Amino acid sequence: SQTIHQWPATLVQPVGSPLSLECTVEGTSNPNLYWYRQAAGRGLQLLFYSVGIGQISSEVPQNLSASRPQDRQFILSSKKLLLSDSGFYLCACMRAGHYNEQFFGPGTRLTVL
Amino acid sequence: AQKITQTQPGMFVQEKEAVTLDCTYDTSDPSYGLFWYKQPSSGEMIFLIYQGSYDQQNATEGRYSLNFQKARKSANLVISASQLGDSAMYFCAMRPPSGYSTLTFGKGTMLLVSP
């Protein structure tokens, strides 16, 4: 079965510091991968998606970037964090099957101070 | 552009009763998919149920059913026999017909189930 790992689980960073969040997937190959951000009390906003190694599509212009160096690895980065980058970051993978639904990792809670 | 609207910020229901969570959507695509996810306080997103735009019957998964009214562009989630463990945020989401399966989410509804 497919499993998504995300780390770290929680992170507190000062404004202006860099960021690297990692997502790895097990149990599938060549998955479609997604990064979402959830602000406090809000819905999920799609940030990036990737259909293969080195292929990144950005949905929202922002302070963040994404990379996919390996088939089952998806990284979210920033060179300089802003206060508005605080939130809950979720990595997702499309589960190939009847519904092709997305299933999600456990998330990273980021607080920028 | 696609849009999902969940007008109920919060809902209360007593244990063992049924509850309906509203979701309306807007799209110009004739083909689309509708999803409901549950997010407990732990933060994980749990897939509950799926409805395809061409499905003739309303989707059902255990205690979850989807009241799909295509002409009204609504896809309400019905939870029967509520349990305390159903207390969570519930999100409605839409997928366009493209092959990348990106999802557009609503803002969610917080459901609280009381004993």
Side-chain angles (χ1 to χ4, degrees):
Chain A
S1 63
Q2 296 163 319
T3 307
I4 296 180
H5 301 280
Q6 287 187 247
W7 61 88
T10 59
L11 191 60
V12 180
Q13 291 285 93
V15 169
S17 64
L19 174 74
S20 181
L21 302 182
E22 190 162 345
C23 168
T24 58
V25 182
E26 293 180 357
T28 185
S29 59
N30 196 29
N32 287 0
L33 297 175
Y34 311 84
W35 276 113
Y36 289 89
R37 176 170 61 200
Q38 185 179 24
R42 302 294 297 275
L44 275 68
Q45 179 187 37
L46 178 65
L47 301 176
F48 301 95
Y49 67 93
S50 171
V51 300
I53 295 174
Q55 300 179 63
I56 307 294
S57 296
S58 173
E59 288 292 298
V60 182
Q62 59 213 320
N63 184 44
L64 302 169
S65 62
S67 62
R68 187 164 174 180
Q70 299 179 44
D71 182 44
R72 287 171 284 180
Q73 185 184 30
F74 203 19
I75 297 173
L76 184 69
S77 305
S78 173
K79 292 181 179 179
K80 287 186 177 182
L81 283 169
L82 306 172
L83 287 173
S84 58
D85 292 324
S86 293
F88 190 51
Y89 288 82
L90 287 154
C91 179
C93 173
M94 188 183 80
R95 191 195 308 271
H98 184 63
Y99 303 136
N100 289 340
E101 77 275 14
Q102 289 185 19
F103 73 99
F104 288 79
T108 294
R109 200 165 298 277
L110 171 66
T111 303
V112 182
L113 301 175
Chain B
Q2 300 186 320
K3 185 178 179 182
I4 296 284
T5 302
Q6 294 181 255
T7 57
Q8 305 155 314
M11 290 286 286
F12 295 89
V13 67
Q14 276 200 312
E15 208 176 359
K16 300 180 185 178
E17 291 185 350
V19 63
T20 298
L21 306 183
D22 294 342
C23 172
T24 58
Y25 58 91
D26 189 19
T27 180
S28 56
D29 293 314
S31 175
Y32 49 87
L34 295 160
F35 299 81
W36 277 92
Y37 284 85
K38 172 184 178 181
Q39 187 179 42
S41 57
S42 59
E44 61 187 308
M45 293 288 286
I46 302 168
F47 165 68
L48 295 178
I49 195 167
Y50 168 82
Q51 180 83 44
S53 59
Y54 292 122
D55 292 345
Q56 295 297 310
Q57 292 187 322
N58 287 344
T60 60
E61 291 285 351
R63 294 187 298 111
Y64 305 107
S65 61
L66 209 151
N67 183 2
F68 181 47
Q69 299 187 46
K70 192 170 181 178
R72 301 177 69 175
K73 293 189 175 179
S74 73
N76 299 338
L77 177 70
V78 180
I79 305 175
S80 63
S82 297
Q83 302 172 356
L84 295 178
D86 293 334
S87 294
M89 281 290 286
Y90 288 81
F91 292 97
C92 181
M94 172 184 285
R95 180 183 67 204
S98 77
Y100 303 133
S101 292
T102 58
L103 293 177
T104 299
F105 283 85
K107 293 185 177 180
T109 296
M110 172 63 78
L111 176 66
L112 291 178
V113 182
S114 60

